[in-house]
Amino acid sequence: MHPAVAVGLVFGGCCSNVVFLELLARQFPGCGNIVTFSQFLFIAVEGFIFEANFGRKRPAIPIRNYFIMVAMFFTVSVVNNYALNLNIAMPLHMIFRSGSLIASMALGIIILKKRYSVSKYSSIALVSLGIFTCTFMSAKQVASDSSSNEEDGPQAFLWWLLGIAALTFALLMSARMGIFQETLYKRFGKHSKEALFYNHALPLPGFLLLAPNIYQHAVLFSQSELFQVPVIGLTLPIMWFYLLMNVITQYVCIRGVFILTTECTSLTVTLVVTLRKFVSLIFSILYFQNPFTGWHWLGTAFVFVGTLMYTELWHSLGPLLARCRGQGRPKEQ
């Protein structure tokens, strides 16, 4: 599959997924476990039927390698979703996770002994500066809200710090997983569908540890107001509809990401995912009317300028503009 198609899946699926996740988290902030379990179950069942051929197809990559990858993937998914229950707002959640650019480049240099051009370092630094500018402004809002409530203020801020620590851990683990995937594909070949299936099927027993919380939120979802699905006319609790749409869009999103890992380097994949998160952030702020200051717009500018530098668009535009100017000149008589 062409990388451009995978990028389209990432942006379309992941941006829609964030909208439904925020609708869920606004109603029930602690619903991260049931969301993660539903996503894993759906992708595992789909992969068992269409990829593993009901268990008859042997994996191309040794199963022991998948267990290592699964341990990292399961941890990242659970910790990221659980952070929403630690006083982490959705905009801050998205922006902070986008700091994986720095983690991916740093671990690539340390583990893979990679070296990048000065323009690549500059572009990543600019993108990260824009992201952390927005993170800082969002963090000020948390501090302001905490100080306005004298009773729960210190406790709320401590929970926020714990959430930041959880996101930091998930950030580094996600970058390490990306590098591990890259080394596996170089050794055994590209098998994105197979990796997608095993990364979601093998962790399912781990959700038994979270079963009480998952059941509690399933009951709460069933008690939500009824909603009639357009076109098909099916009526169901609205929280289950949000969860269903979240699961479907997550499948489209993660499928695009795994395809990208087979076509591009881990740093390029990280950049694409980071830009997707930033687009989701802008949409979330506009759609859900979250505060967006001039500093946020400055951070946005940093991100997009850094992206243009990374893709070296200027080098492609130079010859094109030169040809256009040449064609526009009148011919000498």
Side-chain angles (χ1 to χ4, degrees):
M1 182 180 292
H2 195 277
V5 177
V7 171
L9 292 176
V10 171
F11 274 86
C14 298
C15 291
S16 303
N17 176 260
V18 167
V19 173
F20 290 107
L21 179 60
E22 183 153 359
L23 289 170
L24 289 164
R26 284 199 165 201
Q27 192 69 26
F28 299 106
C31 68
N33 290 331
I34 191 174
V35 171
T36 308
F37 171 70
S38 302
Q39 293 171 350
F40 275 56
L41 181 63
F42 177 85
I43 295 175
V45 171
E46 188 273 344
F48 182 73
I49 297 172
F50 297 103
E51 173 59 26
N53 193 17
F54 296 95
R56 291 192 292 265
K57 180 181 177 182
R58 293 177 60 85
I61 298 176
I63 198 72
R64 65 178 180 276
N65 292 300
Y66 279 122
F67 275 110
I68 299 173
M69 192 188 304
V70 159
M72 293 187 283
F73 186 66
F74 177 76
T75 303
V76 169
S77 299
V78 172
V79 171
N80 274 329
N81 281 334
Y82 191 76
L84 293 171
N85 202 30
L86 297 173
N87 203 27
I88 299 293
M90 183 63 73
L92 180 59
H93 187 272
M94 287 187 289
I95 302 172
F96 195 91
R97 288 174 62 187
S98 299
S100 55
L101 279 171
I102 296 177
S104 181
M105 175 173 278
L107 292 183
I109 294 172
I110 296 172
I111 298 175
L112 300 180
K113 309 299 181 183
K114 286 188 174 182
R115 292 296 180 266
Y116 302 96
S117 64
V118 175
S119 63
K120 288 288 191 292
Y121 286 119
S122 301
S123 63
I124 297 301
L126 199 56
V127 170
S128 300
L129 176 61
I131 290 166
F132 285 116
T133 298
C134 293
T135 303
F136 179 75
M137 298 310 297
S138 298
K140 286 182 65 177
Q141 181 65 36
V142 175
S144 176
D145 293 343
S146 298
S147 61
S148 63
N149 191 336
E150 295 182 358
E151 294 182 1
D152 299 332
Q155 183 179 1
F157 191 72
L158 287 176
W159 281 114
W160 181 81
L161 289 177
L162 182 60
I164 292 296
L167 288 177
T168 302
F169 171 78
L171 194 74
L172 295 172
M173 182 67 73
S174 179
R176 181 65 183 90
M177 184 182 71
I179 292 175
F180 183 72
Q181 285 178 318
E182 187 176 336
T183 56
L184 278 184
Y185 293 150
K186 286 181 178 179
R187 183 178 175 186
F188 298 103
K190 300 175 180 180
H191 305 280
S192 63
K193 293 181 182 180
E194 179 184 291
L196 182 63
F197 164 64
Y198 282 103
N199 273 324
H200 288 81
L202 294 179
L204 286 178
F207 285 102
L208 291 174
L209 301 173
L210 309 173
N213 181 268
I214 293 173
Y215 176 76
Q216 176 190 0
H217 283 88
V219 173
L220 293 173
F221 281 16
S222 298
Q223 296 172 351
S224 62
E225 62 178 300
L226 295 178
F227 173 77
Q228 187 174 28
V229 182
V231 181
I232 63 176
L234 178 66
T235 301
L236 74 165
I238 192 168
M239 298 305 293
W240 283 113
F241 172 73
Y242 290 157
L243 182 62
L244 176 63
M245 295 305 298
N246 177 269
V247 166
I248 294 174
T249 53
Q250 174 69 9
Y251 171 75
V252 175
C253 171
I254 201 73
R255 181 71 178 271
V257 171
F258 270 79
I259 294 172
L260 272 182
T261 61
T262 65
E263 303 295 335
C264 309
T265 64
S266 60
L267 184 64
T268 302
V269 173
T270 303
L271 183 69
V272 171
V273 173
T274 297
L275 290 178
R276 188 280 305 167
K277 291 173 185 174
F278 211 83
V279 171
S280 298
L281 169 71
I282 301 298
F283 183 84
S284 174
I285 287 173
L286 296 178
Y287 184 79
F288 292 100
Q289 298 182 346
N290 292 310
F292 200 68
T293 66
W295 286 103
H296 289 93
W297 287 116
L298 180 62
T300 305
F302 285 157
V303 168
F304 284 103
V305 171
T307 303
L308 294 177
M309 289 174 59
Y310 180 87
T311 57
E312 299 180 347
L313 184 63
W314 317 116
H315 295 86
S316 303
L317 287 178
L320 179 62
L321 293 175
R323 286 197 300 269
C324 292
R325 285 195 298 265
Q327 293 175 356
R329 292 175 182 171
K331 294 183 179 179
E332 296 182 0
Q333 300 294 330

